[in-house]
Amino acid sequence: MTTRSDGRALDELRDVTITRGWLDHAEGSVLVSFGRTRVLVAASVTEGVPRWRKGSGLGWVTAEYAMLPRATHDRSQRESVKGKLGGRTHEISRLVGRSLRAVVDHQALGENTIMVDCDVLQADGGTRTAAITGAYVAMADAVSWLRERNLLDGEPLTDSVSAVSVGLVGGTPMLDLCYTEDSSADTDMNIVMSGDGRFIEVQGTAEQEPFDRSLLNDLLDLGEVGCSRLTEMQKQVLAEPKQ
Amino acid sequence: MTTRSDGRALDELRDVTITRGWLDHAEGSVLVSFGRTRVLVAASVTEGVPRWRKGSGLGWVTAEYAMLPRATHDRSQRESVKGKLGGRTHEISRLVGRSLRAVVDHQALGENTIMVDCDVLQADGGTRTAAITGAYVAMADAVSWLRERNLLDGEPLTDSVSAVSVGLVGGTPMLDLCYTEDSSADTDMNIVMSGDGRFIEVQGTAEQEPFDRSLLNDLLDLGEVGCSRLTEMQKQVLAEPKQ
Amino acid sequence: MTTRSDGRALDELRDVTITRGWLDHAEGSVLVSFGRTRVLVAASVTEGVPRWRKGSGLGWVTAEYAMLPRATHDRSQRESVKGKLGGRTHEISRLVGRSLRAVVDHQALGENTIMVDCDVLQADGGTRTAAITGAYVAMADAVSWLRERNLLDGEPLTDSVSAVSVGLVGGTPMLDLCYTEDSSADTDMNIVMSGDGRFIEVQGTAEQEPFDRSLLNDLLDLGEVGCSRLTEMQKQVLAEPKQ
Amino acid sequence: MTTRSDGRALDELRDVTITRGWLDHAEGSVLVSFGRTRVLVAASVTEGVPRWRKGSGLGWVTAEYAMLPRATHDRSQRESVKGKLGGRTHEISRLVGRSLRAVVDHQALGENTIMVDCDVLQADGGTRTAAITGAYVAMADAVSWLRERNLLDGEPLTDSVSAVSVGLVGGTPMLDLCYTEDSSADTDMNIVMSGDGRFIEVQGTAEQEPFDRSLLNDLLDLGEVGCSRLTEMQKQVLAEPKQ
Amino acid sequence: MTTRSDGRALDELRDVTITRGWLDHAEGSVLVSFGRTRVLVAASVTEGVPRWRKGSGLGWVTAEYAMLPRATHDRSQRESVKGKLGGRTHEISRLVGRSLRAVVDHQALGENTIMVDCDVLQADGGTRTAAITGAYVAMADAVSWLRERNLLDGEPLTDSVSAVSVGLVGGTPMLDLCYTEDSSADTDMNIVMSGDGRFIEVQGTAEQEPFDRSLLNDLLDLGEVGCSRLTEMQKQVLAEPKQ
Amino acid sequence: MTTRSDGRALDELRDVTITRGWLDHAEGSVLVSFGRTRVLVAASVTEGVPRWRKGSGLGWVTAEYAMLPRATHDRSQRESVKGKLGGRTHEISRLVGRSLRAVVDHQALGENTIMVDCDVLQADGGTRTAAITGAYVAMADAVSWLRERNLLDGEPLTDSVSAVSVGLVGGTPMLDLCYTEDSSADTDMNIVMSGDGRFIEVQGTAEQEPFDRSLLNDLLDLGEVGCSRLTEMQKQVLAEPKQ
């Protein structure tokens, strides 16, 4: 039987915690951890929408993802000091934004903008999936903030969204890879799903060998298991009163 | 029966042409068109590898993707004038590079670098998949150039690589979307496959509604069909002598 | 008798081709080649003018010049990746814009803007002169596009404009230098002329030795010959119906 | 008697907490809070020093300060997205670095570099003084890390360093201003002191009215009180074993 | 008795000259020299204020500081070529702006902006203090220019402002350090004062050893002496008619 | 008879002054004025050459041109603040560098670099020609500095270089245009000549109407007159001992 470096079963998530209201100023905020990966998510509400959307009656949700320089084992240079965003940062920011928008009814949101900042305080694999999973909760709190102020035209959230990574490590499909697993994976896949169990994003990459259809199916199965558990946790945490 | 705007069958590619040797200076070059989408690909060989790879005995393949300002219906601003690369440019450049590297034996390449430039001269949907499909052919010619000069340590190409887009348009899965189809698609997926029919990248995005497992399977089926035909064309075009 | 590397006479242009309508989206477009130098020119029309010109009743014509990374013998780094435009790019963009504006009646153009993009696909000397010569034709087609839509207040083109390089190579004045000639020239001059044989720009540079007045006159004579032939070709190509 | 908005005495610090070892990867790390101001400090050790210091036998300590976008009441734009550092960021980074170096014996540090990252997670006034106070503790842990590996040439820390803000609010000198106090202060002063009670930096600014010598003395008195208490807390927290 | 490298007494300023009207176009301009330090100051008036201040009825004064590349012993790279401002430039620009605003009644200035450019032509220590001292005079001339055109709502200058550096060199407090003194100083302090002898900014930095309260007092005493003399010179030079 | 706005004859230069040694640190420096145009030129010597020229035994001369923000009638934004160089700045920097190199024997210069900074303190037309004319003198002093230290392999200056503008204003050719004349000129030409009366650069631009060969000849005649006088002045000023 295959054992993982941290003793988890192949289809087992790491310890996941989602702490709401971690920040005092943000309309919604969450400190989310997937094992040692820790992401601080702040959802900021502003009235109005970007210029290109004005007068449409539609709201807007967008996201920015970044990493603190010492989130990683070796310190990386600040992108603000370099003066430009790296490709990875761009790519993940766009992924988080798209994932959130997939469960938003922009009509019901009205001309309001929710900007979701995901800042990785510590990275141990799966930062983008932790960010998406936490971002949904922070967005939900930001939506509540809007609702309490009667600023909505209906229910803007059509479903929840969660995300998890799966991968092929040493020939074995595994759920929710930590950094050590991720860096030795042959195939790496990020799966973003809605609360009702459908796919929002599927991004699979062969790091070494191309993968066949049967392996792809195994990985999708694992992803469905993981997202379904995360959906459950999101429901529980949102059922509690915000501190 | 569903008909497409340009009369194609649902599982039909657009007219694909791959013209080798379009440039005089580049070690490999291709003008590739998928219908009205036209991409100029140049594969440039340089001896040596980036600093972080020196002394490893391994080669390096990387790619940059860009669009001419008037490739699109409306002119877009040059990224060189803006002073920074957009997220989309970064994302596609990284995708093209990863896709090519998946069929490269870096040991056999030796400490040589192949830089593949994909410049979209005209865009009508599917620019990234046309770029990958053409880039493989340009890379193959660059590898021949190295082989003729006895600069290789073996056969660096372990397989071919091709790519195609598939999507759900008006509820119907379709192959190789043109711009009109792409901009109204509910779900959009890019599939990159090796010549032996395995997956290198699978990137599916729900633009409107999340999609279920069954639709995902339909789209993967279509992608397999498309990539298999493109693989065939690549073989034919590479079987001809380079002009 | 002096022979040139490619067998041309001293006052002979390279093969010049101007293909109109190379792009589907642009209001005017041309693929122009001077020998192996190939420039793709797109003239884009937008209603309205830059802010500083609003309400003046005057139109605006401007240009941007750029080179694909593998246009040259050795690949050069993308300016979009470097994050800034080089001095040479700036200088040529400004030259092309000024040259076109010299034959434009901005009153007759009305408050419309024509942006002319000149992208060098392959460089073998004389890219800026090929760009200007092709840009005039693309601009003429863009003007026709405006005329067909009754968007003009008269005839905006007061004349045609063409350009050619001349230089002193190995002590001998020559017309339309290719890269090999250009890189060994003592003196290099770019001449931009109107269709009626007057000067729009004269830019002569002593690369090695300063040059005297008599040589300057010889070079101007050659330039007049070259521009006059290019003017003729522009007329012919514009006389044909646009494809 | 003057009361402060949060009920503190005029010479009273806010609740200060210093949590060591908040990050798993960094050689030294601290989550420091001055009331609702929370700064995450990571001290990263690298062998070697910047190029201009190589071969000197001397170490180097430097710092970078930044704020998460939603640290503040209203979200501020990321400096990485803007593509440049603001003046305030530069200024505080330099201040933190200078303050730390004032208590470092670079000879004893040997050719090692300690880079101290101070990232403000939440801002409520006094972020730079909290950063300096926490940074000393993180640096001390990084020094211990070096000592445990026998990488030092002696004791690099000649003393401790702490910092506090003082200001004139509504005509009254106060210690450790929160945001509300700070934004209405007439005079604002940041004081950085060594553990033995001497000054490392004194930066006083008249926000409204110039201030006279007598008021300057009152503010310096308050600053001495505050830094002396912070020095005490630093000692206590460093006396505990690192978790 | 301590002698200084240039024979000055410890509390003696260098030769200070302030030449008004050095530029033809600027509304106020000054060439100010403190010994060999020479700063060209231009105060530019524009009607209106930055967007964030519009409609407030208040004016705005701001400053930019820069150094010519060969102002220093060794040439430094241009910040325009580097593409970003250094931290020191930012810091001094902000200091000059704050110092000037401390003596401005923005109500009386009305919705006008005075932008003060301080360009160091030659640097020999004390460039920021020379800049502030000269900037006040240039600003006063710009205010006169506004008064002559009846564009003011009262007297915008509530006082004058001057600045001087003091420092501890070889254990001895000295006034107005030249470059040689500055670069060997243990403690370096810049003092900005209003004409009536109060403090606007006090910025003291321990370059080597922390400094105690008694030394701080000595340095403040010296600063008061220096600023008082500079105030006197400013009065004299402004009493003369502008050339 | 045509009179000019400032009473000059058509072929008359403005008052030209060239003050050597204006800066204390630079190896060569000049404050040059052409009427109200004032340019500060600093020639900086460094041992060694740029990387691409190392080991060639050849020296290098290059130049940078810039304008202070308030050199002009209306303040312009700093290029360092904008974060990029404008096209005009690039273009003139390149022109100045090329012009100087045309009279330099790089072999005789040995592996030394002369960097010439031309900073326009005040602009009233002809800033680039004043810069070139002054830059030659500053470069000559920098060469003397090298000669005095026995760092040369011969005489690096093969001739002198000067520059002047000519133009067609109101139908009349004129020498050395001031700003008012320049901004209303139909044709504007900058002429750079060697001391022996040959051309180094000829840059003529039709601002309104194209110009014919005969007018071009008239302008070249005027340019020869102007450069010849400037050459004389350069000789005189260099004959005097450097202050």
Side-chain angles (χ1 to χ4, degrees), chain F residues 3-9 12:
Chain F
T3 40
R4 297 172 74 170
S5 58
D6 53 5
R8 277 189 287 154
E12 191 179 345

Side-chain angles (χ1 to χ4, degrees), chain E residues 21-36:
Chain E
W22 206 81
L23 294 171
D24 295 321
H25 307 317
E27 286 73 27
S29 73
V30 147
L31 183 66
V32 58
S33 61
F34 277 33
R36 291 166 30 143

Side-chain angles (χ1 to χ4, degrees), chain D residues 5-233:
Chain D
S5 56
D6 53 6
R8 276 187 289 154
L10 298 178
D11 66 347
E12 192 179 344
L13 293 171
R14 289 176 285 179
D15 281 345
V16 172
T17 65
I18 303 177
T19 310
R20 287 163 67 202
W22 205 81
L23 294 171
D24 294 322
H25 307 316
E27 285 73 28
S29 72
V30 148
L31 183 66
V32 58
S33 61
F34 276 34
R36 292 166 27 142
T37 289
R38 265 184 265 172
V39 184
L40 178 56
V41 185
S44 300
V45 172
T46 46
E47 281 188 78
V49 283
R51 193 177 317 183
W52 52 270
R53 212 171 169 98
K54 264 185 192 145
S56 66
L58 303 173
W60 184 239
V61 175
T62 184
E64 284 180 9
Y65 167 99
M67 238 189 224
L68 292 197
R70 197 54 200 278
T72 43
H73 274 85
D74 296 310
R75 185 179 183 273
S76 53
Q77 205 194 346
R78 282 176 197 273
E79 294 184 314
S80 58
V81 170
K82 279 194 268 188
K84 55 181 174 182
L85 296 178
R88 183 180 175 279
T89 298
H90 258 141
E91 203 168 310
I92 301 181
S93 293
R94 287 156 56 92
L95 171 64
V96 178
R98 276 200 312 272
S99 298
L100 295 175
R101 285 192 295 275
V103 297
V104 168
D105 175 346
H106 290 96
Q107 191 81 49
L109 183 53
E111 290 207 6
N112 296 296
T113 296
I114 302 178
M115 163 57 94
V116 181
D117 286 290
C118 303
D119 285 89
V120 179
L121 304 187
Q122 187 160 281
D124 186 36
T127 61
R128 80 190 70 188
T129 53
I132 292 169
T133 304
Y136 169 72
V137 177
M139 177 171 72
D141 273 335
V143 164
S144 299
W145 186 94
L146 281 162
R147 192 180 295 111
E148 286 159 15
R149 280 151 191 80
N150 291 316
L151 292 166
L152 296 175
D153 299 336
E155 172 52 59
L157 299 181
T158 59
D159 201 343
S160 65
V161 55
S162 66
V164 78
S165 74
V166 291
L168 188 73
V169 184
T172 311
M174 294 182 183
L175 179 66
D176 188 22
L177 311 188
C178 68
Y179 177 75
T180 327
E181 292 168 342
D182 186 53
S183 57
S184 65
D186 293 322
T187 292
D188 178 30
M189 184 170 273
N190 289 292
I191 291 171
V192 184
M193 298 188 78
S194 55
D196 68 358
R198 288 184 295 160
F199 296 98
I200 287 171
E201 287 265 345
V202 172
Q203 296 196 341
T205 301
E207 301 285 345
Q208 314 279 345
E209 276 286 284
F211 51 93
D212 61 23
R213 185 77 176 259
S214 144
L215 174 61
L216 173 56
N217 281 325
D218 289 351
L219 293 173
L220 291 168
D221 289 345
L222 268 183
E224 287 180 342
V225 167
C227 284
S228 143
R229 286 187 205 143
L230 291 166
T231 297
E232 209 47 50
M233 288 181 213

Side-chain angles (χ1 to χ4, degrees), chain A:
Chain A
M1 201 199 96
T2 311
T3 41
R4 297 172 75 170
S5 57
D6 54 5
R8 277 188 287 155
L10 299 176
D11 66 348
E12 192 179 344
L13 294 171
R14 291 176 285 179
D15 283 345
V16 172
T17 65
I18 303 176
T19 308
R20 288 163 68 205
W22 206 81
L23 294 172
D24 295 321
H25 307 316
E27 285 74 28
S29 72
V30 148
L31 183 66
V32 57
S33 60
F34 277 32
R36 291 167 27 140
T37 289
R38 263 184 267 174
V39 185
L40 179 56
V41 184
S44 300
V45 173
T46 47
E47 283 187 76
V49 283
R51 196 177 316 183
W52 52 270
R53 215 174 168 96
K54 266 186 191 145
S56 65
L58 303 173
W60 184 240
V61 174
T62 186
E64 284 180 9
Y65 166 99
M67 238 188 223
L68 292 198
R70 195 57 200 278
T72 43
H73 274 85
D74 296 310
R75 185 180 183 273
S76 53
Q77 204 193 345
R78 282 175 197 273
E79 294 184 314
S80 58
V81 169
K82 280 195 264 189
K84 55 181 174 185
L85 295 179
R88 183 179 175 280
T89 297
H90 258 141
E91 205 169 309
I92 302 181
S93 293
R94 286 157 55 93
L95 171 63
V96 178
R98 276 200 311 274
S99 299
L100 295 176
R101 284 192 296 273
V103 297
V104 168
D105 175 345
H106 289 95
Q107 191 81 51
L109 183 53
E111 290 206 10
N112 296 297
T113 296
I114 301 179
M115 162 58 94
V116 180
D117 287 289
C118 303
D119 285 90
V120 179
L121 305 187
Q122 189 160 278
D124 187 35
T127 61
R128 80 189 72 188
T129 53
I132 291 169
T133 303
Y136 169 71
V137 177
M139 178 172 70
D141 273 335
V143 164
S144 300
W145 186 94
L146 280 162
R147 190 180 298 111
E148 288 159 15
R149 280 154 192 77
N150 292 316
L151 293 166
L152 296 175
D153 299 336
E155 172 51 60
L157 298 182
T158 60
D159 202 342
S160 65
V161 56
S162 66
V164 79
S165 74
V166 292
L168 189 73
V169 184
T172 311
M174 294 182 183
L175 178 66
D176 187 22
L177 311 188
C178 68
Y179 177 76
T180 327
E181 293 168 343
D182 185 54
S183 57
S184 65
D186 292 323
T187 292
D188 179 30
M189 184 171 273
N190 289 293
I191 291 171
V192 184
M193 298 188 77
S194 55
D196 67 359
R198 289 184 295 160
F199 295 97
I200 288 171
E201 288 263 347
V202 173
Q203 296 197 341
T205 301
E207 301 284 346
Q208 315 278 343
E209 278 286 285
F211 51 94
D212 61 23
R213 185 76 176 258
S214 143
L215 176 60
L216 174 56
N217 280 324
D218 290 351
L219 293 174
L220 292 168
D221 290 344
L222 268 184
E224 287 179 343
V225 167
C227 283
S228 141
R229 287 190 205 140
L230 290 167
T231 297
E232 209 46 52
M233 287 183 215
Q234 290 173 324
K235 268 188 201 144
Q236 284 174 17
V237 77
L238 279 167
E240 295 160 20
K242 195 180 155 187
Q243 289 138 0

Side-chain angles (χ1 to χ4, degrees), chain C residues 204-231:
Chain C
T205 301
E207 301 285 345
Q208 313 280 345
E209 275 287 284
F211 51 93
D212 61 23
R213 184 77 176 258
S214 143
L215 175 60
L216 174 55
N217 280 325
D218 290 351
L219 293 173
L220 291 169
D221 289 345
L222 268 182
E224 287 179 342
V225 167
C227 283
S228 143
R229 286 189 206 142
L230 290 166
T231 298

